[in-house]
Amino acid sequence: MTREIGHYVGGKNIEGTSKRFSDVFNPNTGEVQAHVALASSSEVRKAVEISGEAQVGWANTNPQRRIRVLIEFYNLVLKEMDTLAEMLSSEHGKTVPDSKGDIQRGIEVVEFAIGAPHHLKGDYTDGAGPGIDMYSMRQPLGVVAGITPFNFPAMIPMWMCAPALASGNAFILKPSERDPSVPMRLGELFKEAGLPDGVFNVVNGDKEAVDALLEDPDVHALSFVGSTPIAEYVYKTGSANGKRIQALGGAKNHLIVMPDADMDMTVDALIGAGYGSAGERCMAVSVAVPVGEEAADALLEKLIPRVENLRIGPSSDAEADYGPVVTKQHEEKIKSYVDIGVKEGAKLLVDGRDFKMQGYENGYFVGGCLFDHVTPDMRIYKEEIFGPVLSVVRAKDYEDALRLPSEHEYGNGVAIYTRDGDAARDFAHRVQIGMVGINVPIPVPLAYHSFGGWKRSLFGAHNQHGPDSFHFFTKAKTVTARWPSGMKDGAEFVLPTMK
Ligand code: NAD
């Protein structure tokens, strides 16, 4: 029988009442393995009310007690790593080892958030004026929400909820309807770790649930990660409703190959970063930019056989380079982009459109594709494909290569492969992109730095995790205090200064 997935609210699993559902597929086989409830706006409202009630006590729990819950949660997730990874992989399609990476990068943010007492402590100025002391503090916002994409169903919810909870907020997660099981399980693990009921909730749903969160006056901040059109919509609607919003969007990440690069190392990087997780990563490399014809030919000579020999397998195959993509619809979208590239005149060197996985003929598999002679006016260059498709754009010189990512509408990640320190340094300073790798293909910052792109890859002033996260999920208050011994008689009409 098909499993029914409801919501996790007030410390328990509850059934959905909207009578609207979405299918959760097993991308390996194409079978429907569960139905997930899609919340109505009144179900969202109920979750906000429950969160609001629970938040008061949680905010009054001192930070050290709060982080003890996170420590326990961290240990529980670690203990359940194997089961969680299998659950994740069966709904998303990424391999089990890659799913463990997804969970691991999430709990690293929990680990970072355990430093909350340090991040939340304010500043103090003794004697800021005659008998005057001044101090600042960071206070929680109240009820906050996170809306997450399908491609990191463990990591991205933890990016958001760990600093939000450590700061004393109640958190409502609206995960992707494609792979809701791990987010639901995180709710149960939080309860087991000692989190009071109602402080962490999962409301499953689609646009209706997102709109309800965006419009609810008691939701004070909303963190979003997903595609750019929805990120922009969430940013504009949420901001117009007076909420604090951070909305991370899509990407087109370039890897510049300088003529002096170690070609073997570069090809390894392109294979892993271009095709790992079937290219369904916002930091996947989707454009390779060799500088000069000689570098392009040397790169392709080594790259073509590697793409032709990618090992594709079901997500349970731990040795596979990557598994199926998330849905049939997404498989078709990726293949249609390859058709577009061919029509636009790019040279398709490796064609994975007809790949069939033996024994999994109904699964959503796409073979590795490689294009050469892609130009900046083509749609396959301008738009995010989010699949195992790598485009080679040949740059005539370094300045040409630097211009490509800098002028692209997305600005998430970029990498340069070179042995030349001067070139690398110049590139890191001048490129118009938020996260830069030097001989590192996927420059995702560790939890204690902040993650975020530029341009249409991020709307809002705050990045994810790192120091930015405590600023996003708290509001600053500054107190100026004077006691009678420091007071002069009489009213002052002139603005006090330190002159
Ligand atoms: P998506 O935009 O389709 O969905 C993201 C979330 O928005 C989901 O929870 C979904 O239910 C909700 N949503 C979908 N349509 C909506 C609508 N019309 N109104 C309101 N909410 C809606 O993205 P996805 O396909 O799940 O994820 C892939 C995308 O996410 C890619 O573009 C990828 O680059 C991006 N992404 C970005 C980052 C980053 O850090 N910048 C990280 C991971 C993924």
Side-chain angles (χ1 to χ4, degrees), residues 242-448:
K243 296 184 196 317
R244 189 178 290 193
I245 306 283
Q246 59 178 177
L248 281 71
K252 198 80 182 178
N253 307 310
H254 298 54
L255 188 149
I256 313 300
V257 186
M258 294 294 282
D260 67 346
D262 177 326
M263 280 302 163
D264 291 316
M265 187 170 118
T266 308
V267 167
D268 280 343
L270 281 171
I271 283 289
Y275 299 92
S277 201
E280 293 172 316
R281 290 182 183 138
C282 66
M283 290 292 275
V285 171
S286 48
V287 183
V289 186
V291 176
E293 292 299 321
E294 224 173 284
D297 295 340
L299 176 75
L300 284 168
E301 193 188 324
K302 288 178 188 276
L303 190 57
I304 294 168
R306 294 287 296 276
V307 180
E308 285 169 339
N309 291 305
L310 280 164
R311 177 170 167 166
I312 302 161
S315 61
S316 56
D317 177 358
E319 301 301 314
D321 295 328
Y322 68 86
V325 300
V326 69
T327 55
K328 182 81 194 158
Q329 198 188 7
H330 193 49
E331 176 196 335
E332 283 166 2
K333 179 179 154 192
I334 295 166
K335 289 181 178 170
S336 77
Y337 265 114
V338 181
D339 298 343
I340 291 168
V342 172
K343 278 205 202 96
E344 286 178 314
K347 190 168 173 197
L348 185 59
L349 298 177
V350 184
D351 182 359
R353 283 174 295 181
D354 292 332
F355 177 83
K356 279 271 169 253
M357 187 71 225
Q358 228 185 344
Y360 295 86
E361 284 75 11
N362 293 324
Y364 314 137
F365 292 90
V366 184
C369 298
L370 178 64
F371 276 113
D372 190 12
H373 296 291
V374 175
T375 52
D377 55 319
M378 293 180 180
R379 278 185 65 194
I380 56 163
Y381 175 74
K382 291 196 277 202
E383 296 171 24
E384 184 184 45
I385 300 174
F386 221 54
V389 182
L390 182 66
S391 294
V392 175
V393 179
R394 295 172 176 237
K396 47 177 200 305
D397 53 27
Y398 167 71
E399 289 297 329
D400 192 23
L402 173 67
R403 211 164 24 243
L404 282 163
S406 296
E407 290 182 357
H408 201 283
E409 73 165 309
Y410 294 121
N412 222 32
V414 73
I416 185 166
Y417 271 64
T418 183
R419 291 182 169 100
D420 179 344
D422 275 347
R425 188 171 184 280
D426 184 75
F427 184 78
H429 275 263
R430 288 169 63 205
V431 72
Q432 298 300 301
I433 301 283
M435 292 172 281
V436 183
I438 297 173
N439 297 319
V440 171
I442 305 190
V444 175
L446 289 176
Y448 44 92

Side-chain angles (χ1 to χ4, degrees), residues 147-152 156 159 174-178 205-207 210-211 224-228 230-231 233-234 248-251 281-282 384 386 412 451 457:
I147 297 164
T148 52
F150 82 83
N151 69 323
F152 281 101
I156 296 179
W159 274 6
K174 205 303 285 169
S176 167
E177 56 276 50
R178 316 259 169 267
D206 55 3
K207 180 171 167 48
V210 173
D211 285 343
F224 173 92
V225 178
S227 59
T228 288
I230 314 293
Y233 166 75
V234 164
L248 281 71
R281 290 182 183 138
C282 66
E384 184 184 45
F386 221 54
N412 222 32
F451 177 109
S457 292

Side-chain angles (χ1 to χ4, degrees), residues 65 171 282:
R65 290 224 167 98
F171 188 84
C282 66

